[in-house]
Amino acid sequence: MKKLFLHITLFFSLICFSQNEQLAQYYYDKGDFEKAKISFEELLKSIPQNSQYFQRTIDCYQQLKQYDVAEKAIKERFDKYKQSILLVELGYNFQLQKNEASAKKHYDEAIDRIKKNPNEVYGISNSFEKKALVDYALKSYQTAVALVPTFNFNYQMALLYGQLGNTEMMISTFLDEAFANPQNSIQIQNQLARFMVDQGDENFTETLRKALITRAQKNQDVFWNHYLSWFYVQQKEFGKAFIQEKSIYKRNPESLSGIVNLGQLAIEEDDPEAAKEILGFVLENTKDLELLIQANSYLLKMKIEKAQEKDFAAINTELAGLLKQYEISPFTLSLQLIQAHFVAFNLRKPEEGKAIVKKALGLQLNDYESAKAKMELADILLYEEKYNQALLYYSQIEENLKNDEVAHEASLKAAKTSYFQGDFVWALKQFKELKAATSELTANDAMEYFLLINDNTVADSTQTALKQFAKGDYLLYQNRNQEAIVQFRSILKNFKGQEIEAVTLLRLGRVYENLGDYNSALSQYQNIIDHHADGIYIDEALYFSAEIENNKLHEPDKAKPLYEKMIMNHQDSIYFVDARKKYRQLRGDKEL
């Protein structure tokens, strides 16, 4: 019984102590430093050795400008524990009082501690960093490394150089570390990429480019070709990245996978010319069946996306020829599914398309291959307005590959099926869940439809306009673009001035863009800019207009003010980063 009583007492003591800690932190976070001070003092009395409670107590004293009390407490603790980090605390306390001489004296004492015992660098440098004393944090690392050359603080020092604005040393130190320890390359590339995006000083990207080229010239190690390729991909200069990848391939002709991946990136970033050159190189330099199928699949998808009706016969012949050459097997599944989709959606022969997929499903496929085939079959069934059958296949994929990206894609398509049917309540629920999908593409798509349904349901409880809009979207899904244009124009006529108008203009603009009718697309976007500037589609209207002027009509003087409006007024847009970069290019900045 005594032991039981002791355990119960300890249990409730721990609960009470935890609550006191939470209360102290609550006051601290709230900015009520007087109450936080009293609470942390009590906690510190209970556990005097707890450094966190001590730090919070000192912070409270300093926030309340009780610098003498803080100084006394720090000195007493230093006399008791002899911790070097307390010298930093003491110096910082003087700095807050603008007593720079005393602050420097104690900071230098902390550095001297590292000279006597280099292992002290860990605590001291961390303490300096927490106080944003970047120069001293850097000096801590430099002092320790000078004494113990085996210490490696390149990553930490590079970040500190960056904070100090010394981008040359930051880049140099990061690259030294990447070369010495290639396992850290991805982490370093993430930091460099962040600086390329966020850095206000536009010299950064050019400095990094020059540093990489210099190292590649001085040291012929293939490592630097990989790094240059990565750099050019960040800049979306796929042609230059391809030069580096070819150089890598010449030294190691065993693998072309990096070049295939580069071709895929070029397609995703809408650089078809670079993609054709890259994938053409793959076809000329490999006999690997998997790579041949992969490259041909990418090239065919590009052709189909840009094809007009007069091109269909040639594409159909090419598909049949490739499948004859490489034969029907699990290895050629991607080509078979491309053929099925093309026959159903472009040639408008869904029965033939389904027959191709069903034949593929008869092969010995793994779970992912089977899911891809079922997805295509569901897509064709949806094309035929066989909604329930399509939903059945999408559900099978979701069930078989739970939490996988393919399952999320199937969930998104199932939600769109409900949307096309006019079942907006169920579709809204599905889109809401998919907003949190791990795939950015799926999440963004789900968000778009969620906002579309939600906004237009609030504006019109009968959902009359939304039903007409969903019909237009379904016509687009069926590749019946001209009929979709008629449908969307009808919405603009019948629901003028209503909530649905802005998104209809945006959708029409995208359809015209895809059809190459750029002036009509610009007209729709301009309507949004003129009459819906306070809506949620203004950033897209500005960015898409700028892209057409810049890339399609080659009118940079017209594109520049559109990019500028984007970056001045829509910093939260997903197009902000690209708009800023392209604006700087048009402005003539030498370093981007």
Side-chain angles (χ1 to χ4, degrees):
M1 286 296 293
K2 285 181 180 179
K3 286 184 177 179
L4 179 63
F5 180 75
L6 180 62
H7 282 116
I8 292 170
T9 305
L10 285 170
F11 176 72
F12 282 108
S13 297
L14 284 169
I15 291 175
C16 182
F17 193 84
S18 176
Q19 288 175 337
N20 290 339
E21 184 178 0
Q22 288 175 1
L23 185 63
Q25 190 61 43
Y26 169 77
Y27 287 136
Y28 184 89
D29 292 339
K30 190 180 171 185
D32 191 341
F33 296 109
E34 188 63 53
K35 289 180 181 176
K37 178 190 79 169
I38 294 166
S39 298
F40 277 119
E41 283 177 337
E42 288 298 318
L43 289 166
L44 193 59
K45 282 179 186 175
S46 303
I47 311 178
Q49 67 272 25
N50 189 301
S51 59
Q52 186 180 354
Y53 296 154
F54 175 75
Q55 185 61 60
R56 284 284 186 260
T57 306
I58 297 299
D59 288 347
C60 290
Y61 292 149
Q62 291 170 342
Q63 289 289 345
L64 296 166
K65 298 187 177 179
Q66 296 174 0
Y67 300 118
D68 291 343
V69 180
E71 182 182 342
K72 183 183 176 187
I74 296 168
K75 284 182 174 177
E76 286 176 356
R77 193 172 183 86
F78 181 75
D79 290 339
K80 185 175 182 180
Y81 294 108
K82 306 299 181 186
Q83 291 174 306
S84 298
I85 60 171
L86 293 170
L87 292 168
V88 179
E89 290 296 336
L90 198 55
Y92 188 68
N93 197 61
F94 282 117
Q95 185 170 320
L96 291 173
Q97 301 170 73
K98 302 199 184 313
N99 186 342
E100 300 297 337
S102 293
K104 183 178 183 304
K105 174 178 173 290
H106 288 90
Y107 294 155
D108 288 342
E109 283 182 31
I111 298 292
D112 286 338
R113 285 293 188 102
I114 297 173
K115 292 176 182 176
K116 293 173 185 173
N117 178 9
N119 286 318
E120 292 267 24
V121 67
Y122 297 100
I124 291 171
S125 61
N126 186 46
S127 190
F128 278 132
E129 286 191 58
K130 283 181 178 176
K131 304 294 184 190
L133 299 165
V134 181
D135 281 309
Y136 278 101
L138 185 59
K139 192 174 181 181
S140 300
Y141 290 125
Q142 290 170 333
T143 302
V145 170
L147 293 165
V148 185
T150 54
F151 276 167
N152 182 3
F153 298 113
N154 280 336
Y155 187 83
Q156 295 90 330
M157 289 167 66
L159 289 175
L160 293 170
Y161 281 126
Q163 291 178 48
L164 290 168
N166 189 343
T167 53
E168 284 193 25
M169 280 302 298
M170 173 192 173
I171 289 167
S172 178
T173 309
F174 264 146
L175 296 183
D176 286 345
E177 173 61 16
F179 188 69
N181 297 291
Q183 70 273 14
N184 296 332
S185 272
I186 292 175
Q187 187 181 12
I188 290 167
Q189 285 174 349
N190 288 339
Q191 286 293 342
L192 293 171
R194 185 178 66 80
F195 267 79
M196 279 191 270
V197 171
D198 297 338
Q199 187 74 352
D201 179 5
E202 292 153 11
N203 282 316
F204 182 83
T205 302
E206 179 63 11
T207 304
L208 176 56
R209 184 185 70 82
K210 287 179 179 175
L212 287 169
I213 290 172
T214 301
R215 285 166 189 255
Q217 289 171 342
K218 287 182 179 177
N219 182 341
Q220 298 301 309
D221 196 297
V222 73
F223 177 87
W224 296 114
N225 298 104
H226 281 293
Y227 239 83
L228 272 167
S229 177
W230 166 83
F231 171 80
Y232 288 126
V233 167
Q234 304 309 301
Q235 301 303 302
K236 297 180 183 176
E237 295 180 290
F238 298 103
K240 292 180 180 178
F242 181 41
I243 292 170
Q244 299 303 319
E245 289 294 337
K246 280 194 291 187
S247 180
I248 295 165
Y249 175 72
K250 284 175 184 174
R251 298 192 215 180
N252 178 23
E254 297 299 314
S255 174
L256 276 162
S257 57
I259 296 180
V260 174
N261 292 336
L262 183 63
Q264 185 182 10
L265 279 172
I267 292 170
E268 289 172 2
E269 295 297 338
D270 196 25
D271 190 345
E273 294 308 313
K276 285 176 190 173
E277 185 185 2
I278 293 164
L279 295 170
F281 180 85
V282 173
L283 294 177
E284 290 171 7
N285 289 277
T286 188
K287 291 181 181 178
D288 183 288
L289 181 59
E290 188 176 348
L291 289 179
L292 286 168
I293 299 302
Q294 206 175 352
N296 274 304
S297 296
Y298 290 147
L299 286 167
L300 274 165
K301 281 183 180 178
M302 283 173 58
K303 281 185 184 178
I304 292 168
E305 191 177 335
K306 303 292 181 185
Q308 296 179 2
E309 199 164 339
K310 62 181 175 62
D311 306 315
F312 289 173
I315 291 172
N316 198 35
T317 301
E318 185 177 355
L319 272 164
L322 286 169
L323 284 167
K324 185 178 179 181
Q325 179 183 354
Y326 297 121
E327 301 179 348
I328 302 297
S329 75
F331 285 109
T332 60
L333 179 66
S334 61
L335 286 175
Q336 293 169 58
L337 298 184
I338 290 169
Q339 184 187 43
H341 194 89
F342 177 75
V343 167
F345 284 81
N346 295 84
L347 300 184
R348 305 193 187 286
K349 296 178 181 178
E351 288 300 327
E352 286 187 27
K354 285 191 295 184
I356 293 167
V357 180
K358 287 175 181 177
K359 186 177 178 182
L361 282 167
L363 301 169
Q364 288 188 321
L365 305 178
N366 62 35
D367 287 346
Y368 278 93
E369 290 167 340
S370 180
K372 286 178 183 177
K374 286 181 179 180
M375 191 92 78
E376 187 57 51
L377 185 56
D379 291 348
I380 298 172
L381 289 165
L382 178 54
Y383 173 92
E384 294 182 296
E385 301 183 39
K386 294 176 180 175
Y387 302 112
N388 291 335
Q389 289 182 51
L391 284 169
L392 185 64
Y393 281 107
Y394 290 139
S395 298
Q396 283 182 20
I397 297 165
E398 291 174 78
E399 183 64 28
N400 294 337
L401 296 173
K402 284 180 179 176
N403 300 319
D404 190 88
E405 274 192 31
V406 177
H408 287 154
E409 185 185 350
S411 300
L412 182 68
K413 289 186 173 184
K416 286 184 180 180
T417 303
S418 299
Y419 162 72
F420 291 146
Q421 285 180 284
D423 186 356
F424 299 127
V425 174
W426 180 242
L428 190 69
K429 182 178 181 295
Q430 290 174 296
F431 286 131
K432 185 177 182 180
E433 291 173 1
L434 285 164
K435 288 192 299 175
T438 50
S439 165
E440 188 178 352
L441 196 62
T442 299
N444 288 341
D445 214 351
M447 174 64 81
E448 179 190 335
Y449 280 94
F450 175 81
L451 292 173
L452 170 69
I453 296 172
N454 194 57
D455 291 352
N456 287 283
T457 301
V458 171
D460 174 17
S461 59
T462 66
Q463 299 175 323
T464 307
L466 185 58
K467 287 171 187 172
Q468 294 297 310
F469 191 89
K471 184 181 176 183
D473 269 350
Y474 183 61
L475 289 167
L476 286 179
Y477 174 80
Q478 291 180 304
N479 212 17
R480 293 156 66 183
N481 294 320
Q482 293 304 326
E483 292 170 69
I485 288 171
V486 172
Q487 179 68 13
F488 289 128
R489 286 205 163 279
S490 172
I491 293 170
L492 291 177
K493 181 181 177 182
N494 296 328
F495 300 96
K496 188 171 179 61
Q498 294 187 28
E499 181 73 29
I500 201 82
E501 184 176 40
V503 69
T504 306
L505 288 165
L506 187 72
R507 193 69 99 241
L508 259 178
R510 294 303 274 169
V511 177
Y512 282 129
E513 247 190 278
N514 290 334
L515 293 173
D517 187 351
Y518 301 120
N519 288 321
S520 293
L522 285 171
S523 176
Q524 311 311 310
Y525 299 146
Q526 190 61 48
N527 201 327
I528 296 173
I529 294 165
D530 291 341
H531 301 109
H532 301 278
D534 57 347
I536 62 173
Y537 303 105
I538 180 65
D539 63 317
E540 290 169 288
L542 287 166
Y543 183 74
F544 296 156
S545 296
E547 288 287 275
I548 290 173
E549 296 288 11
N550 191 28
N551 301 325
K552 304 299 182 184
L553 302 180
H554 307 293
E555 295 277 4
D557 290 339
K558 292 181 181 178
K560 191 161 72 169
L562 293 164
Y563 285 131
E564 186 176 20
K565 278 186 183 178
M566 257 290 301
I567 62 179
M568 294 298 290
N569 302 320
H570 304 284
Q571 288 91 342
D572 58 344
S573 171
I574 60 172
Y575 302 104
F576 172 77
V577 172
D578 279 345
R580 181 176 63 181
K581 179 185 171 185
K582 288 168 183 178
Y583 173 70
R584 288 172 175 172
Q585 286 173 333
L586 293 179
R587 195 173 60 182
D589 295 347
K590 291 179 182 177
E591 297 86 14
L592 301 167

